[in-house]
């Protein structure tokens, strides 16, 4: 993070790093030396305390084989190749397998200077609706780190299937519900047969999960107890 003005943004960046598994933060010439106390670094205080405060960008990236700058483009005329976040993140992931990579974020007001950009191999941008409108610095860091950390295959994984209640469990729920309906006066003795069939079909359509069946029966049991106690 280069020439960051607001310590809260550094704290937010540290929090995002902790969330997505990144641990090495280098801060180049921050405006406020109190950034290590940023309250926005919830859960990332150790990472923020270990952040390296470096006076020069060249020193901060000295051990990196690939240096990628971030930009919102705006009205600037840039001389670097610019890649969208999704594609750029894949290139960074490949490079990380070989050597350290630096991902640069500029100040909130001006972004990376031309001198900062001269240290970059290429630039990466977040595809916002308005290319001239920059994002909040802390949010931009979080988005970039999420894209670097996410596993595309994980999005295709099916959620764990929840086991439906068995026929026996459904019938237990049905019996208790019918009992409660009888005691409450809902069921008309003359149409009791058809009502019971409707209630049984209703319970099946609810598709109650096996783990929820005891909860539902516990509720009905309490209702039945209250109904008996009121007589």
């Amino acid at each position: 993070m280069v020439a960051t003005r607001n310590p809260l943004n550094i704290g937010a960046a540290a929090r995002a790093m902790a969330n997505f598994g990144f641990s090495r933060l280098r801060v180049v010439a921050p405006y406020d030396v109190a950034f290590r106390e940023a309250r926005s670094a919830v859960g990332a205080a150790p990472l923020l305390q270990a952040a390296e405060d470096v006076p020069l960008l060249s020193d901060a990236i000295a051990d990196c084989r690939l240096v990628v700058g971030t930009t919102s483009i705006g009205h600037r005329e840039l001389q670097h190749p610019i890649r969208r976040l999704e594609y750029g993140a894949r290139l960074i992931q490949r490079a990380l397998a070989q050597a350290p990579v630096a991902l640069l974020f500029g100040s909130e007001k001006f972004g990376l200077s031309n001198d900062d950009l001269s240290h970059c191999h290429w630039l990466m941008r977040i595809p916002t609706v308005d290319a001239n409108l920059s994002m909040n610095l802390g949010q931009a860091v979080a988005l970039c780190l999420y894209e670097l950390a996410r596993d595309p295959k994980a999005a295709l994984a099916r959620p764990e299937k929840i086991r439906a209640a068995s026929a026996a469990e459904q019938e237990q729920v049905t019996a208790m519900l019918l009992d409660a309906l009888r005691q409450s006066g809902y069921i008309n003795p003359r149409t009791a047969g058809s009502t019971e069939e409707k209630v049984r079909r209703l319970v099946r359509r609810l598709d109650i999960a096996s783990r929820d069946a005891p909860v539902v029966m516990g509720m009905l049991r309490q209702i039945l107890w209250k109904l008996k106690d009121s007589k």
Side-chain angles (χ1 to χ4, degrees):
M1 302 187 74
V2 184
T4 309
R5 292 171 173 267
N6 189 338
L8 293 178
N9 282 327
I10 302 178
R15 183 174 184 177
M17 291 174 66
N19 285 336
F20 298 117
F22 296 86
S23 59
R24 196 162 190 181
L25 173 61
R26 290 175 179 172
V27 181
V28 180
Y31 276 68
D32 192 337
V33 294
F35 71 85
R36 297 185 193 276
E37 308 300 326
R39 295 182 181 179
S40 52
V42 179
L47 192 153
L48 196 59
Q49 289 298 319
E52 301 171 53
D53 189 346
V54 186
L56 298 175
L57 176 57
S58 57
D59 294 333
I61 61 174
D63 60 343
C64 299
R65 189 174 299 176
L66 172 64
V67 179
V68 179
T70 56
T71 180
S72 62
I73 303 178
H75 299 288
R76 301 175 67 176
E77 184 177 345
L78 302 170
Q79 305 300 319
H80 292 70
I82 301 176
R83 289 163 176 132
R84 277 176 58 114
L85 173 59
E86 306 92 327
Y87 178 58
R90 292 201 297 271
L91 297 180
I92 292 174
Q93 288 169 337
R94 293 174 196 164
L96 278 171
Q98 306 297 325
V101 175
L103 182 59
L104 307 186
F105 294 89
S107 73
E108 299 89 334
K109 192 170 184 180
F110 303 110
L112 294 170
S113 68
N114 288 332
D115 183 67
D116 298 332
L117 293 174
S118 69
H119 292 274
C120 300
H121 293 90
W122 45 269
L123 305 180
M124 188 166 68
R125 71 177 184 90
I126 297 171
T128 54
V129 173
D130 186 345
N132 296 320
L133 184 63
S134 62
M135 289 188 66
N136 168 270
L137 179 56
Q139 294 176 338
V141 171
L143 271 177
C144 290
L145 297 185
Y146 164 76
E147 191 64 32
L148 284 169
R150 78 179 182 92
D151 179 6
K153 295 179 181 177
L156 302 176
R158 293 184 178 180
E160 180 183 355
K161 191 172 182 180
I162 299 175
R163 186 167 65 88
S166 66
E169 290 170 323
Q170 290 177 334
E171 188 58 28
Q172 284 180 294
V173 171
T174 301
M176 294 184 72
L177 178 56
L178 286 169
D179 195 4
L181 293 174
R182 290 190 196 96
Q183 292 193 41
S184 67
Y186 177 83
I187 295 179
N188 186 326
R190 289 181 299 177
T191 58
S194 62
T195 300
E196 289 184 11
E197 293 174 3
K198 291 177 182 177
V199 170
R200 183 168 285 106
R201 287 196 297 270
L202 171 64
V203 171
R204 270 62 179 176
R205 288 198 302 271
L206 291 175
D207 196 21
I208 300 171
S210 180
R211 66 186 183 188
D212 293 333
V215 178
V216 175
M217 286 188 280
M219 295 175 182
L220 292 171
R221 195 174 292 111
Q222 184 69 13
I223 292 170
L224 286 167
W225 179 77
K226 284 291 185 180
L227 288 170
K228 291 176 182 178
D229 191 51
S230 63
K231 291 181 180 179

